[in-house]
Amino acid sequence: MSAARIVVVGTGYVGLTTGACLAGLGHRVTCVDVDQAKVARLSAGRVDILEPGLSELVARGLTSGRLNFVVGARDAVRDAEAVFLCVPTPMGAGGSADLRAVEAVTTEIGDVIPSGCALITKSTVPVGTSKRIQAMLGRTDVPVVSNPEFLREGTAVEDFLGPDRIVVGSDDVAAARWVGELYADLAAPVVVADAASAELVKYAANCFLAMKLSYVNSIAELCERLGADIDLVTEGMGYDRRIGRSFLKPGPGWGGSCLPKDTSALVRVAESVQYDFTLLTSAIEENIAQRDRIVAKIAGAVGGTLAGSRIGLLGLAFKAGTNDLRDSPALAVASVLGALGAELTAYDPAVGGQIAGMTVVDDPYQVAKAADAVVVLTEWDEFKRLDWTYMAEQMDGDSVVDTRNLLEPQRILDAGLSWQGVGRPRAAQRRKVAVS
């Protein structure tokens, strides 16, 4: 299709990636935000988000003239052919999705959006939101289309340009198909659905992944109790094409900007139609239990009492490759450790500044200084390359708790330390020899 005039409202992970990638596909894109300082930074090519390839895409879009940034949606949409809503839909009261930002933008632009322009929800929204937006508009000449995103932080650009599928849904089938054509240059199947089905796809996918992660964490706990090795168990499972290898790594729990709020929101949606989604609520409860098991593992590594213990934390972001702290399992574990009286020193290669309840340092070796235990909470590759002999020299204790099974246990043992993973046999402890 020919280049479309597109407005993207919101410049967070989803909005900025969507705008930059659509401009890269040849469309003329205006990205809108309410933060004047942020718009100024983006207009100058400065991207605050840590996302591989995104800064380069923004720079190319600005240079080509196909991408620009403005404050205020009302004027921006007046000649648009498509408007993407990429505003936050955080967890609201009671766990439901908070749609105030979506509603505010709809109200702002409702009377000026051109006839025939597609109003597209890219934000994750509950089933029924398209109908709600259509009713708010009070117009039949502006089709509302659901086009959920499936972007992973750390690989968002790659996921956008090489998607598994593109989902578009609307009660106006022609509008849904036209939105699908915006992605014509991407070699991906397009699923055209009704609005309700498209809205449910995102929740169904994310909640399935959350349940898969809770399941593998439960199997890891069984491995510890039965003397099995989770790495070998998941290797054996992963060869089954019906299961696959992704989301089969145990850890300190799942988090981030999507899974916690989406699982909670789908539970609330199920309740609204009198369905008790026990499978999903159990996955949420298991995620909390996993955090508590990790805390208990760390307590055991320092002799059972966390009060007054010095704990070094490696990793704060919810996953490697991003600086996002939203619902980070690392922070969830740290919060409990701090509440139980542990003194925390933390390092993350993408996170700086002050965080309540801990001292954040800019050198990974500083977390080991006088530490009774060092805990790996985020799977940054640089932690594998640390000089663990030097780490051991800095520590008062000798315990390394690897909640991501990231490190090579023998390297830790060779440094004179002990190693504990998740669902793995505990490496034989080698006490450090005191130097007199």
Side-chain angles (χ1 to χ4, degrees):
M1 66 181 301
S2 59
R5 297 186 303 277
I6 295 173
V7 171
V8 175
V9 183
T11 60
Y13 271 98
V14 174
L16 188 56
T17 302
T18 297
C21 288
L22 286 172
L25 293 176
H27 300 295
R28 298 187 295 281
V29 181
T30 296
C31 289
V32 175
D33 205 284
V34 296
D35 186 335
Q36 292 185 353
K38 186 178 185 182
V39 167
R41 290 194 301 273
L42 289 170
S43 297
R46 298 198 299 274
V47 176
D48 299 329
I49 297 170
L50 177 61
E51 193 63 51
L54 185 55
S55 293
E56 293 82 356
L57 264 181
V58 168
R60 287 199 292 271
L62 291 169
T63 300
S64 69
R66 289 193 297 269
L67 179 65
N68 70 299
F69 299 90
V70 301
V71 176
R74 190 171 172 84
D75 289 336
V77 304
R78 291 182 185 274
D79 66 345
E81 296 174 276
V83 175
F84 284 83
L85 300 183
C86 300
V87 294
T89 54
M91 189 186 303
S96 298
D98 184 343
L99 296 178
R100 284 179 294 179
V102 171
E103 293 169 349
V105 175
T106 301
T107 300
E108 179 185 1
I109 67 176
D111 64 334
V112 295
I113 190 169
S115 179
C117 176
L119 183 56
I120 305 157
T121 56
K122 199 74 171 168
S123 306
T124 302
V125 296
V127 176
T129 301
S130 291
K131 290 184 182 297
R132 187 171 174 177
I133 292 173
Q134 198 81 65
M136 287 184 66
L137 286 172
R139 297 174 57 176
T140 59
D141 62 331
V142 175
V144 179
V145 180
S146 173
N147 176 214
E149 53 86 13
F150 302 97
L151 307 179
R152 298 167 296 169
E153 291 186 37
T155 58
V157 171
E158 177 185 337
D159 291 342
F160 191 102
L161 298 177
D164 294 325
R165 76 295 201 192
I166 293 161
V167 176
V168 287
S170 177
D171 296 334
D172 182 334
V173 176
R177 287 176 175 159
W178 182 84
V179 172
E181 290 173 3
L182 295 174
Y183 303 91
D185 289 343
L186 304 180
V190 177
V191 178
V192 178
D194 58 275
S197 297
E199 289 166 343
L200 187 54
V201 166
K202 178 62 185 293
Y203 282 111
N206 273 359
C207 291
F208 180 84
L209 296 176
M211 289 189 290
K212 193 173 181 181
L213 287 169
S214 284
Y215 179 78
V216 79
N217 281 334
S218 297
I219 295 297
E221 178 64 15
L222 276 181
C223 285
E224 292 191 13
R225 298 187 184 202
L226 298 173
D229 187 328
I230 189 64
D231 281 4
L232 298 176
V233 172
T234 54
E235 181 182 4
M237 293 170 62
Y239 281 112
D240 190 327
R241 287 172 292 180
R242 297 168 301 174
I243 297 172
R245 296 182 180 277
S246 65
F247 284 72
L248 282 184
K249 287 188 68 67
W254 40 265
S257 63
C258 292
L259 297 190
K261 74 179 182 68
D262 290 355
T263 51
S264 180
L266 190 57
V267 168
R268 299 288 90 79
V269 168
E271 289 174 349
S272 73
V273 290
Q274 292 75 54
Y275 177 65
D276 184 7
F277 205 154
T278 54
L279 186 62
L280 185 53
T281 56
S282 295
I284 295 170
E285 292 166 1
E286 169 60 26
N287 195 47
I288 297 170
Q290 181 68 1
R291 177 203 64 193
D292 293 339
R293 285 195 291 265
I294 294 296
V295 170
K297 189 185 292 284
I298 296 167
V302 296
T305 303
L306 285 164
S309 297
R310 294 176 179 269
I311 309 294
L313 307 179
L314 289 173
L316 294 172
F318 92 94
K319 64 182 284 190
T322 177
N323 55 359
D324 198 343
L325 296 174
R326 287 175 291 178
D327 278 302
S328 168
L331 289 185
V333 169
S335 177
V336 177
L337 293 174
L340 294 173
E343 298 177 22
L344 307 177
T345 303
Y347 166 81
D348 188 290
V351 177
Q354 297 181 341
I355 297 177
M358 67 184 73
T359 300
V360 180
V361 296
D362 58 6
D363 182 342
Y365 293 105
Q366 290 180 327
V367 306
K369 190 172 183 179
D372 296 304
V374 169
V375 183
V376 177
L377 289 170
T378 308
E379 67 280 23
W380 290 99
D381 277 345
E382 79 169 66
F383 298 155
K384 298 186 212 177
R385 300 188 292 270
L386 293 176
D387 182 340
W388 282 95
T389 299
Y390 182 67
M391 293 281 282
E393 292 170 356
Q394 303 303 304
M395 294 173 64
D396 283 351
D398 62 359
S399 296
V400 175
V401 179
D402 184 358
T403 73
R404 298 287 186 169
N405 293 345
L406 177 73
L407 308 176
E408 172 51 53
Q410 192 59 50
R411 285 195 64 210
I412 308 306
L413 297 181
D414 290 345
L417 300 169
S418 68
W419 177 89
Q420 289 184 73
V422 176
R424 299 285 311 282
R426 181 168 178 169
Q429 198 168 27
R430 290 179 55 176
R431 296 286 179 185
K432 292 192 296 183
V433 177
V435 179
S436 57

